[in-house]
Amino acid sequence: MKSASAQQEATRVTLIGMWLDLALGIAKIFGGIFTQSFALITDGIHSLTDAITDIFVLVVARIAHTEPDDEHPYGHGRFESLGTIGMGVVFFTTAGILLYDSYQRLLESASIPIPALSGAAIALISIASKEWIYQYTIRVARRLNSSLLKANAWHSRTDAISSIAVLIGIVAAYQGYIWMDTVAAIFVALIIAKIGWELCTDSLRELVDTAIPLPRQRQLQDCILAIDGIQGITSLRSRLSGGKIILEVRLLVDPRITVSEGHQLGETVSRALTGNFSDIGDVIAHIDPETHEEAAITIPHQSALPDRQQILANIKNQWQEFLSEDDIDNISLHYLENGIEVDLTINMEEISEQLARQLQQAIQRFHYIANLRIYSKLYEARLDQPLA
Ligand SMILES: [Zn+2]
C-alpha cells in the first residue's frame, strides 16, 4: 500500500508537469505566431493536449471514481472511458487539421514566410525544461516504484524529442530549407495523433469488456487458490471500468459446508484480492459445490433434481406413520453429484435400529435420494445465555 505522503508526492510531480505543459503550450503557440514557425505552433498545441490530458486525469477521473448510486449500481468508471474517447477524438481531429494545413503549406512552399531564428530559442527552452521534468519525474517514480509515473516521465522525453524536431526544422528553414519547418510540424502532428489513438483504443477495449491479460489472470488465480478452503476455480471473468478490474469468479468448495461458511469464503477471497492488488474494483464470488472429475457428466442431472419443498413433502409423507411433525427437528439436504443426501435430526434421545431401517426403507422408492443420515438432538447450548 502506498502511503499518503507518497501519493501526495506523485500528485505534486504530475501537477508541476501539467503547469509546465500549459506554460510551454501558450509560449510556443504565441512564439510560433510571432516568429512565423508553423512547427512551433504545432508543438505548442501538442503541449496543450498533454496539459489537458493531465487535467482530465486529475479532475474527471476523480468524478468517475465516486461511489455507485441507484442509477449507476456498477459505479461511474465507464464515464471516464467515454470521456477519454471523446478527448482522444478531439486530439485525433486536431492532428488531422494540422496535417491538412501542413500539406497545404508544402504545396505553396514558395510563398510561406521564413521563420525567425528566435523561435529556435523557444524550442531550446522547451527541450531543456522537458528534460528537467523527465529527470525529476523519473527520480520520484523510481523512489515510489510507480509505473504510472515512469510512463509519465518517458512521455516527457518524447516531448523533448518533439521539440528537437521543431528546433531542427526552424534552423534548417532559416538556412533556406523552408519546407523543413513544415516537415517538423508534420512530425509533431503525428505525435498528437498517436496520443489520440492510444486514448481511444485503451478506452474502447474497456467499453467492449475486454478481459485483463492472461498473466494477470493467473496472478489473481494464484492468490485465490492460496486461500484455505478453496478447492478450485470453475471460471474467472474480468473486465475493466475506469481502469479498475471487475472480477466474477466461480469458486469450488466442499459441497457439505454451510451457506454461511461458503459466503464467508467468498468474502475472504474478495478481501485477499482487494488487499493484495490496488487495481481490483469489485469481486463477485459465486460458490460452486465441488464434484469429482468422473461425475462431471452427471452435473446436468443435478439441476433436474426436485426442489426442497417437493422433497420434504414426499419424504414426510412416507415417514408420517413412524415420526410426528414434532419429532423432526431439522432436515438438511445436500445436492451432490450422485443424488441428494438427507441429514435428518430428530428430537429423540435414542434412535432404535428398527426405526432407522423403517425410515430408510420408506424413502428408498425415491431414486434421487442417495443417502440418509439420522442424528438425535440431545442437547443444544446457546452460548450467549448464562448457565442456570
Ligand atoms: Zn506529449
Side-chain angles (χ1 to χ4, degrees):
M1 270 327 254
K2 251 188 232 169
S3 70
S5 67
Q7 193 57 53
Q8 268 172 7
E9 194 164 8
T11 310
R12 194 175 63 213
V13 68
T14 311
L15 270 174
I16 292 172
M18 188 269 285
W19 284 112
L20 183 68
D21 275 329
L22 210 58
L24 282 176
I26 293 165
K28 282 188 276 192
I29 289 173
F30 281 105
I33 292 168
F34 284 120
T35 62
Q36 295 185 309
S37 164
F38 190 56
L40 200 55
I41 296 173
T42 309
D43 201 31
I45 294 170
H46 172 194
S47 291
L48 282 189
T49 56
D50 285 345
I52 292 166
T53 313
D54 283 341
I55 293 168
F56 183 86
V57 168
L58 290 166
V59 179
V60 182
R62 196 161 292 174
I63 298 166
H65 288 151
T66 49
E67 292 300 302
D69 54 32
D70 288 344
E71 221 178 326
H72 304 100
Y74 290 98
H76 301 82
R78 294 281 160 90
F79 282 86
E80 188 185 322
S81 322
L82 214 58
T84 309
I85 289 174
M87 203 164 62
V89 169
V90 170
F91 292 177
F92 216 69
T93 315
T94 308
I97 294 168
L98 290 170
L99 284 172
Y100 179 76
D101 282 356
S102 302
Y103 174 69
Q104 292 293 325
R105 287 173 72 89
L106 280 181
L107 287 184
E108 51 198 81
S109 57
S111 60
I112 57 170
I114 301 166
L117 204 54
S118 53
I122 301 173
L124 265 175
I125 292 168
S126 176
I127 297 164
S129 50
K130 273 292 165 181
E131 180 59 22
W132 170 78
I133 193 82
Y134 163 78
Q135 297 290 350
Y136 176 41
T137 313
I138 200 81
R139 238 181 302 132
V140 178
R142 284 194 186 127
R143 191 146 36 84
L144 302 181
N145 197 23
S146 160
S147 51
L148 188 74
L149 279 184
K150 255 176 219 168
N152 277 359
W154 279 104
H155 185 152
S156 297
R157 263 268 160 97
T158 322
D159 292 343
I161 293 168
S162 167
S163 292
I164 288 172
V166 173
L167 178 69
I168 294 170
I170 292 171
V171 172
Y174 186 73
Q175 289 183 329
Y177 307 99
I178 300 174
W179 51 270
M180 277 293 282
D181 182 68
T182 313
V183 169
I186 290 172
F187 179 77
V188 178
L190 288 175
I191 293 177
I192 300 174
K194 185 173 169 277
I195 298 169
W197 175 258
E198 278 165 4
L199 289 173
C200 283
T201 48
D202 282 357
S203 292
L204 277 174
R205 284 169 62 82
E206 221 182 272
L207 281 186
V208 297
D209 284 343
T210 308
I212 57 170
L214 270 178
R216 248 355 273 288
Q217 290 186 31
R218 271 187 221 111
Q219 187 186 32
L220 300 182
Q221 277 175 343
D222 289 345
C223 171
I224 295 169
L225 290 172
I227 293 164
D228 202 31
I230 303 295
Q231 301 183 335
I233 295 168
T234 320
S235 83
L236 183 111
R237 294 199 293 179
S238 61
R239 58 202 168 109
L240 287 161
S241 176
K244 294 265 182 183
I245 299 171
I246 297 177
L247 213 60
E248 283 171 52
V249 60
R250 297 180 76 105
L251 305 164
L252 278 180
V253 301
D254 181 336
R256 287 184 187 81
I257 65 172
T258 60
V259 174
S260 59
E261 204 183 340
H263 171 79
Q264 184 62 25
L265 272 172
E267 291 292 300
T268 307
V269 165
S270 176
R271 262 200 308 274
L273 288 170
T274 48
N276 280 314
F277 307 102
S278 57
D279 56 349
I280 303 276
D282 197 14
V283 181
I284 303 155
H286 177 99
I287 306 293
D288 277 341
E290 212 217 357
T291 47
H292 295 291
E293 209 70 51
E294 64 267 25
I297 28 162
T298 63
I299 288 175
H301 158 79
Q302 210 173 349
S303 55
L305 291 171
D307 59 27
R308 179 180 170 86
Q309 223 175 346
Q310 195 191 333
I311 292 167
L312 287 191
N314 287 349
I315 58 180
K316 278 182 178 172
N317 186 39
Q318 292 299 314
W319 284 343
Q320 61 184 349
E321 54 176 302
F322 316 111
L323 288 176
S324 73
E325 191 70 42
D326 285 344
D327 290 333
I328 300 174
D329 177 64
N330 181 51
I331 296 174
S332 294
L333 303 179
H334 300 283
Y335 283 76
L336 303 176
E337 73 264 16
N338 53 341
I340 294 166
E341 278 188 14
V342 181
D343 283 354
L344 168 69
T345 310
I346 46 184
N347 291 317
M348 290 177 183
E349 281 187 23
E350 251 177 275
I351 304 159
S352 71
E353 220 182 298
Q354 192 200 356
L355 175 66
R357 196 160 299 136
Q358 281 167 331
L359 292 175
Q360 188 206 332
Q361 277 164 358
I363 59 167
Q364 230 154 22
R365 61 169 67 209
F366 302 119
H367 64 276
Y368 48 79
I369 295 180
N371 199 6
L372 170 68
R373 267 186 248 109
I374 305 167
Y375 303 90
S376 81
K377 186 184 173 186
L378 281 178
Y379 182 68
E380 184 180 339
R382 282 188 63 95
L383 294 182
D384 57 349
Q385 281 173 2
L387 293 170

